Amino acid sequence: MEKNYLTIATVVKPQGIRGEVKVLTMTDSPEDLKAFDKVYVGGNCHKLLKVRPQGGNCAFITLGGIADRNAAELLRGQEIKADRADAPALPEDTFYIADVVGCRVVDENGAEIGTVRDITPARTDIYDVLAANGKVISFPAVDGLISDIDTVSRVVTVVRSRFEEVAVY
C-alpha cells in the first residue's frame, strides 16, 4: 500500500476555529500541495479545499470534512499522504523520497556501504543508511557526493572520498 502513496506533509497544529491546520510540507515548496485534489490523513480521504503557503516549508490547509478546531486537533501529528498517480511529474534527476528509501548505497567501485533507511528533507537532504554491521550512518547530500541514483536498479552511488569527509558514523 505504501508504494502507491507519497507522504507530502505532517499536521503540526490546528489554526483558528474553522478546521484549518498548519502543516510541515515534505515537498520542494508548499505551493506543490496545490497539485493535489484529495489527500489521506489517518486512512481517511479528504478533499483538499484550500492551501495557503506560509513561508519556508509550512502551509495552512483546509480539508473537506474537518469543520472546526476540535476535528482539526484530532489530526495533530498525523502524516498527510497523496496518491502517487496524482503527483506531478518531477524534473530530471529529481526523485521522490519513497523511491530512494530501501536502495542500496555503494561507492564508485561497487563496495557496499548499506541501505537507505530514511531521508530527512532539508535544504540539503540528510540520508540515514543502515550499514551491514547494524549501525546507522548519516550524511548530507552535498555537492560532489552522490554520483548516481538509479531507482530502477535500487542503487545510490556515492564518491567514497567525499563520503568519508561528510559521513557521521
Side-chain angles (χ1 to χ4, degrees):
M1 176 177 155
E2 283 303 309
K3 282 294 183 183
N4 296 326
Y5 295 92
L6 299 169
T7 300
I8 59 172
T10 301
V11 177
V12 176
K13 65 178 187 136
Q15 175 68 26
I17 61 171
R18 298 189 181 179
E20 189 175 51
V21 292
K22 180 177 183 177
V23 299
L24 180 64
T25 64
M26 306 280 186
T27 58
D28 289 339
S29 164
E31 292 282 339
D32 295 339
L33 297 180
K34 293 179 179 180
F36 300 97
D37 292 326
K38 65 182 180 205
V39 295
Y40 300 86
V41 185
N44 298 314
C45 183
H46 297 274
K47 184 166 177 56
L48 185 55
L49 301 174
K50 185 176 175 185
V51 176
R52 289 189 305 128
Q54 195 59 31
N57 55 349
C58 291
F60 295 114
I61 65 171
T62 303
L63 299 171
I66 306 299
D68 60 27
R69 186 176 184 90
N70 291 335
E73 182 64 47
L74 297 175
L75 303 180
R76 185 186 293 259
Q78 293 195 44
E79 291 183 337
I80 299 176
K81 298 182 183 255
D83 193 320
R84 179 183 282 277
D86 296 338
L90 293 174
E92 189 174 331
D93 294 330
T94 304
F95 306 93
Y96 288 112
I97 289 173
D99 294 336
V100 180
V101 170
C103 287
R104 292 177 29 246
V105 179
V106 300
D107 69 14
E108 67 272 18
N109 297 317
E112 192 83 24
I113 294 172
T115 303
V116 177
R117 186 179 78 161
D118 194 18
I119 300 173
T120 303
R123 178 172 228 121
T124 301
D125 293 345
I126 307 297
Y127 285 60
D128 284 339
V129 174
L130 183 61
N133 63 6
K135 296 195 180 205
V136 175
I137 305 167
S138 296
F139 64 89
V142 295
D143 287 338
L145 174 60
I146 298 174
S147 62
D148 185 51
I149 296 177
D150 184 345
T151 57
V152 175
S153 298
R154 313 277 304 140
V155 176
V156 175
T157 305
V158 298
V159 176
R160 177 62 82 165
S161 60
R162 186 74 167 124
F163 180 81
E164 294 300 333
E165 290 175 1
V166 300
V168 177
Y169 291 86

